[in-house]
Amino acid sequence: MFKKADKVESFLGANTTFYGNIKTQGTLRVDGNIEGNVDADWVVLGERGFLKGDVRAKGIMVGGKVEGSLKADEVIEIRPKGEVCGDITSPKLIVVEGGILIGKSTIPKEGAKVITIKQSQ
């Protein structure tokens, strides 16, 4: 799913807690705790990661827990142990079996494709 995000430019380790907002280019991997908003190209929250704040990115993968709103330009994926308590806005949403979403999801109308199937008579 995250083929564009193969290279991790920023990393927050499992034994780290960060208070404040983060704005970075490239991919941010979080295995620790963040209390603040995140703005990055791609965000990967590991199974042990916790984020309390809003996230804005092209793509977001949630393996841990998020308390806040997520907004992605391309895709949001909630993995089997992932949990989101907040609202989601993304043109593509994937919730893998076991993933939890407590909130509202919005798929923006722009960019949506409608496929019409004509039945032969």
Side-chain angles (χ1 to χ4, degrees):
M1 180 199 81
F2 275 69
K3 292 180 182 174
K4 296 178 186 175
D6 288 339
K7 183 178 173 189
V8 174
E9 285 85 8
S10 302
F11 181 78
L12 188 74
N15 296 317
T16 305
T17 299
F18 181 84
Y19 298 97
N21 298 328
I22 296 176
K23 184 170 183 169
T24 186
Q25 293 181 332
T27 301
L28 170 66
R29 165 105 189 178
V30 179
D31 287 324
N33 301 304
I34 295 178
E35 288 193 28
N37 299 327
V38 174
D39 187 342
D41 291 332
W42 297 88
V43 176
V44 177
L45 183 67
E47 287 184 5
R48 294 173 37 186
F50 173 76
L51 198 152
K52 186 173 185 175
D54 298 335
V55 180
R56 175 82 172 90
K58 290 180 186 174
I60 304 165
M61 184 167 62
V62 179
K65 184 171 181 177
V66 175
E67 291 179 3
S69 298
L70 304 180
K71 186 170 183 180
D73 296 333
E74 295 181 21
V75 62
I76 294 174
E77 180 176 346
I78 303 174
R79 303 293 298 156
K81 294 184 180 180
E83 182 177 339
V84 176
C85 297
D87 295 339
I88 287 178
T89 303
S90 176
K92 184 175 183 181
L93 172 62
I94 302 165
V95 181
V96 179
E97 184 176 0
I100 297 171
L101 170 59
I102 301 169
K104 176 180 71 171
S105 63
T106 303
I107 308 292
K109 191 172 186 176
E110 63 274 355
K113 294 183 180 180
V114 176
I115 300 172
T116 305
I117 300 174
K118 294 183 181 179
Q119 294 180 347
S120 59
Q121 303 207 16

